[in-house]
Amino acid sequence: MAELLVEFLSEEIPARMQRRAAADLERLLSAALKDNNLAHGSVDVRATPRRLAIRVDDLPETQPSRAVERKGPRTDAPEKAIEGFVGSIAIALEDCEVREDKKGSFYVAVWEETGRPTRDVLSEIIPAVANDMPWPKSMRWAESRFRWIRPLHGVLALFGGAPLSGGLDTGDGILAFTDRTAGHRFHAPAPFAVRDFADYETRLRDAKVVADSAAREQSIREQLAELCAGAGFQVPDDEGLYAEVAGLVEWPRVLIGSIDRDFMGLPAEVLVSSMREHQKYFGLKQADGEIAPSFAFVSNIEADDPAAVVAGNERVLRARLSDAKYFWDQDLKFPLEKMGKSLDGIVFHAKLGSIGDKVGRVEALAMWFAGAIPEANPQTVGRAARLAKADLVSGMVGEFPDLQGTMGRYYATAQGEPGDVADAIAEHYSPAGPSDACPSVPVSMAVALADKVDTLIGFWSVDEKPTGSKDPFALRRAALGVIRIVLENGLRISLRAAFAEARAHHKCNDAVIDDDLLSFFADRLKVHLRDDGVRHDHIEAVIEQQRDGDLVELVARVRALGEFLQSDDGNNLLVAFRRAANIVRAEEKKDGTEYDGAAYDPGLGGDEPIESALWDVLTRTESEIEAALAGEAFESAMRSLAGLRQPIDALFNDVTVNVDDSVVRGNRLRLLARIQGVMNNVADFSKVEG
């Protein structure tokens, strides 16, 4: 058994692509080894800004021999087809087997494929894997079809401690497989040879390269924690930034710089965005949580004069913050109302008008939502909706798009808008994802709902719905946002009515959209409730009973149904329901008719007390269910259903449905249909699985 070690050394690989590239390399190489009958042990991958490496343990020295079987054409196939088959196999036609199947006789070639030296196979596999790497963006050399993310400098390919023969054709010549790599670009650029993976990692570390991205990230955490503890700062908890910065350096060294006091008057979000999004710096906080006039950054070099490195980064940040301060000062000179007028000139969507048009629709729809949200003042809601997107034309948002809404709140506060209006401007984009907080105050809820519902109706009306994995306008996220706002705040809103109102503002009369959107919401609701253990089939079972789109009521029904079906009564009643449904369905198909439960004649069952008793219980239960549902007492409705179990069991145990008397038989089939009808008032039990 031997170890395979491959490293592709190149110019800088973007940090956001490194993890995916490492996973792709492992996937492609593992698949290629399997296709070539090469079993192996564990696999390790490494990714740094300049290198992508993989180790495979316990590969055999020689590829095992294997029996190959290949099905060929029919024996009476045209001569050319047979010749083509013979050309693709390793034995003569007369040595092929002839087998029979329902389509006739055909040739089957069976031969043993002798294993080759694994070294030779790997020399073919490595170039193939490199050619198949699915980079999101890539470069091409000369006339070659070979692509890589950045120019390749070398390919280290060791098997059993010795380089593989051959190389990689980059179109600009053959990049031969070697046993050599290089260390840190500045600290140890001279190439050196390695023996195996352990030697590779050790010698790279000696050359100031930490090949393991997890180890680099951990080093950054430890260094930053130590510096923060010494200076009295909170340790940043930005998980995404730790991982991203670890992909930018091979030899991480954390340093702390200072922010010019002149910029500390900027909003904290502006400071953080300037540092994080543009410079990949960590914004630091004092022990009391206030933002500190300091930042941390990760250098890729071990500088002789760290102060010079710090000063250089402070200069870079100063230029960035100078721009931000200019935008801040300029934006404060223009009221949001005035900024909002510029939205008429910005296209929202070619078929849906300008952002100004959308603001008008959202304002009207938000005021409609205000009527359904307790304590939401329609005039305040309208004001917030009218100003909600005005900051999109501000200089600050133009420079820092991630601050949309946030800057609107600052500008609204500065011009004296009420707090709930300012908050609604910031929160109407929320929730932006599963971990984002939902608006929880009335004005914010109304504007956020209106913005999302207007977007959904708009794109539905121009038939730009999500398809498969494609959702360019984030409509699934918008629907999930509506679901979260409604459920987390317990809002009793008819989505169907909201859709109709939104369509009116879009001047769309196609009411079919409402049904389609409600179905879309039902699918999103299944996703949303899946983490709570709610079964999708339970949602399917009650969705038809709640066609108004009141999600709060729908979820209450689903939860009551789930609890009922977990009980013995619920489980047994479900079995009885299916038995009755199966009998009725089979007999309807046989008789070519449909048995209507409402047409059951109680007079025909007079001589059968069990039949009469079941009819009476069904009638009484239906009334109880109707009263319980009217009061939204779903658990009570389920308890009423439990009373059906005993009389239904008695019917199946003691009464024959398919008797010779066709009149009695038909009446009893209608009684079984009646069972389904009564139970379906609560939920469609035919949709329940399991």
Side-chain angles (χ1 to χ4, degrees):
M1 294 295 180
E3 175 195 86
L4 170 68
L5 172 62
V6 181
E7 181 209 57
F8 298 95
L9 182 66
S10 69
E11 297 293 330
E12 270 70 10
I13 305 170
R16 67 181 185 282
M17 298 183 187
Q18 290 170 23
R19 292 192 179 189
R20 173 67 182 275
D24 285 335
L25 178 60
E26 180 177 358
R27 174 178 57 80
L28 291 172
L29 182 57
S30 298
L33 293 173
K34 183 178 180 182
D35 290 346
N36 284 276
N37 198 27
L38 287 171
H40 57 83
S42 61
V43 178
D44 271 327
V45 289
R46 296 288 185 262
T48 80
R50 296 182 63 213
R51 62 199 82 221
L52 200 56
I54 185 166
R55 176 197 67 175
V56 181
D57 275 344
D58 300 330
L59 280 164
E61 296 283 354
T62 302
Q63 186 186 34
S65 299
R66 61 180 174 181
V68 178
E69 179 174 312
R70 185 169 301 167
K71 183 179 180 181
R74 286 161 50 113
T75 52
D76 58 353
E79 188 175 341
K80 283 196 173 180
I82 295 176
E83 288 176 356
F85 172 62
V86 171
S88 68
I89 58 178
I91 59 175
L93 184 64
E94 53 269 27
D95 294 327
C96 290
E97 298 177 13
V98 176
R99 296 181 186 173
E100 301 282 340
D101 66 7
K102 60 184 179 183
K103 294 182 180 178
S105 59
F106 57 91
Y107 291 110
V108 176
V110 181
W111 73 94
E112 182 171 295
E113 191 174 76
T114 304
R116 296 188 295 151
T118 300
R119 172 176 295 280
D120 294 346
V121 179
L122 292 175
S123 292
E124 298 168 1
I125 286 177
I126 305 303
V129 168
N131 277 288
D132 289 342
M133 280 292 288
W135 296 102
K137 293 181 179 179
S138 55
M139 299 175 67
R140 200 176 70 179
W141 287 260
E143 301 302 320
S144 170
R145 295 181 60 192
F146 178 73
R147 292 174 179 274
W148 202 255
I149 181 64
R150 293 286 187 274
L152 265 178
H153 287 220
V155 182
L156 180 155
L158 288 176
F159 180 65
L164 294 173
S165 59
L168 193 62
D169 185 357
T170 64
D172 195 25
I174 300 296
L175 205 56
F177 295 144
T178 72
D179 59 356
R180 303 173 77 77
T181 183
H184 191 283
R185 179 189 294 279
F186 304 114
H187 291 303
F192 54 86
V194 300
R195 298 187 304 274
D196 52 29
F197 183 67
D199 188 44
Y200 171 78
E201 289 212 299
T202 301
R203 298 208 60 187
L204 276 182
R205 186 173 282 275
D206 292 342
K208 298 194 182 310
V209 173
V210 180
D212 187 347
S213 56
R216 291 197 305 276
E217 186 175 330
Q218 183 60 29
S219 174
I220 292 169
R221 290 177 183 277
E222 291 172 356
Q223 293 180 54
L224 187 51
E226 184 177 348
L227 290 173
C228 286
F233 298 135
Q234 293 183 8
V235 180
D237 59 356
D238 193 333
E239 297 297 319
L241 189 55
Y242 279 112
E244 186 171 4
V245 172
L248 296 174
V249 294
E250 291 196 315
W251 189 248
R253 286 295 173 266
V254 180
L255 297 167
I256 288 184
S258 299
I259 302 173
D260 194 320
R261 292 281 177 180
D262 291 345
F263 302 122
M264 294 308 293
L266 288 169
E269 292 90 341
V270 174
L271 292 173
V272 170
S273 183
S274 299
M275 291 185 282
R276 187 192 190 286
E277 302 301 327
H278 295 271
Q279 303 304 133
K280 310 307 175 191
Y281 295 165
F282 291 89
L284 298 176
K285 292 181 179 178
Q286 311 273 18
D288 60 4
E290 291 295 317
I291 189 162
S294 301
F295 65 96
F297 64 97
V298 183
S299 171
N300 191 33
I301 59 173
E302 196 168 276
D304 295 332
D305 183 8
V309 178
V310 171
N313 281 272
E314 287 176 343
R315 276 197 301 276
V316 171
L317 182 60
R318 192 177 302 120
R320 178 67 66 178
L321 293 180
S322 294
D323 291 344
K325 189 171 188 309
Y326 171 79
F327 292 132
W328 170 251
D329 292 339
Q330 292 299 309
D331 290 343
L332 288 175
K333 297 177 182 177
F334 297 95
L336 284 172
E337 196 95 42
K338 187 175 180 180
M339 288 185 189
K341 291 179 181 175
S342 299
L343 296 174
D344 292 335
I346 302 175
V347 175
F348 172 65
H349 184 275
K351 297 177 182 177
L352 297 174
S354 67
I355 297 180
D357 295 331
K358 178 175 176 62
V359 168
R361 295 191 302 265
V362 170
E363 180 180 350
L365 186 58
M367 295 176 74
W368 181 89
F369 271 112
I373 298 175
E375 301 181 23
N377 181 296
Q379 300 309 314
T380 306
V381 167
R383 175 72 177 168
R386 190 158 61 253
L387 301 179
K389 298 192 184 295
D391 68 349
L392 291 177
V393 298
S394 67
M396 189 71 85
V397 174
E399 182 71 6
F400 304 101
D402 57 303
L403 295 180
Q404 62 181 359
T406 300
M407 297 315 302
R409 170 155 50 189
Y410 279 109
Y411 299 145
T413 302
Q415 70 182 35
E417 296 291 340
D420 48 1
V421 170
D423 288 342
I425 292 172
E427 295 172 356
H428 85 280
Y429 292 110
S430 298
S435 58
D436 192 20
C438 254
S440 57
V441 295
V443 179
S444 299
M445 284 188 265
V447 181
L449 286 171
D451 184 38
K452 292 168 178 57
V453 170
D454 173 79
T455 297
L456 288 162
I457 285 291
F459 283 105
W460 245 253
S461 69
V462 296
D463 199 23
E464 294 277 3
K465 296 177 284 188
T467 54
S469 61
K470 295 180 180 177
D471 186 12
F473 305 111
L475 301 181
R476 293 189 179 96
R477 188 174 70 186
L480 281 168
V482 171
I483 289 171
R484 284 191 57 196
I485 294 171
V486 168
L487 294 182
E488 292 184 21
N489 294 287
L491 298 179
R492 303 304 303 271
I493 291 175
S494 164
L495 286 182
R496 183 179 290 280
F499 295 160
E501 180 71 16
R503 277 195 296 104
H505 299 306
H506 275 280
K507 297 182 173 52
C508 171
N509 297 319
D510 186 4
V512 174
I513 288 175
D514 301 349
D515 289 325
D516 197 26
L517 253 182
L518 281 174
S519 175
F520 181 72
F521 266 79
D523 290 339
R524 305 281 78 71
L525 186 64
K526 294 172 191 172
V527 174
H528 177 71
L529 295 178
R530 185 171 52 201
D531 292 340
D532 293 340
V534 177
R535 288 170 41 169
H536 69 92
D537 55 323
H538 290 183
I539 297 175
E540 287 284 352
V542 303
I543 198 77
E544 289 297 326
Q545 280 71 22
Q546 223 311 334
R547 296 297 296 162
D548 198 33
D550 182 340
L551 298 181
V552 173
E553 182 188 324
L554 191 152
V555 172
R557 277 180 183 256
V558 170
R559 295 193 186 284
L561 176 64
E563 291 177 8
F564 176 64
L565 291 177
Q566 285 183 345
S567 68
D568 287 341
D569 282 340
N571 194 38
N572 290 331
L573 195 60
L574 179 63
V575 173
F577 174 91
R578 287 173 176 159
R579 186 175 179 183
N582 290 338
I583 293 172
V584 173
R585 188 185 309 115
E587 298 308 311
E588 284 180 340
K589 185 176 181 181
K590 187 188 304 177
D591 298 344
T593 187
E594 183 175 336
Y595 291 103
D596 181 4
Y600 175 78
D601 183 356
L604 294 176
D607 60 346
E608 178 50 72
I610 293 176
E611 185 178 335
S612 299
L614 175 57
W615 170 255
D616 292 342
V617 171
L618 285 170
T619 304
R620 185 172 66 251
T621 300
E622 187 173 44
S623 298
E624 292 173 355
I625 289 174
E626 184 178 355
L629 294 180
E632 298 189 358
F634 304 116
E635 294 179 0
S636 176
M638 298 295 170
R639 284 196 298 273
S640 298
L641 283 182
L644 295 175
R645 177 186 167 185
Q646 189 279 328
I648 292 177
D649 287 346
L651 181 80
F652 283 130
N653 291 336
D654 301 323
V655 177
T656 302
V657 174
N658 283 320
V659 295
D660 293 337
D661 187 328
S662 61
V663 176
V664 173
R665 171 179 171 273
N667 205 42
R668 288 175 178 170
L669 287 171
R670 282 189 284 275
L671 181 61
L672 297 186
R674 175 76 170 147
I675 295 173
Q676 301 171 64
V678 171
M679 292 180 67
N680 283 345
N681 285 324
V682 179
D684 185 349
F685 286 84
S686 68
K687 300 286 180 62
V688 178
E689 300 174 356

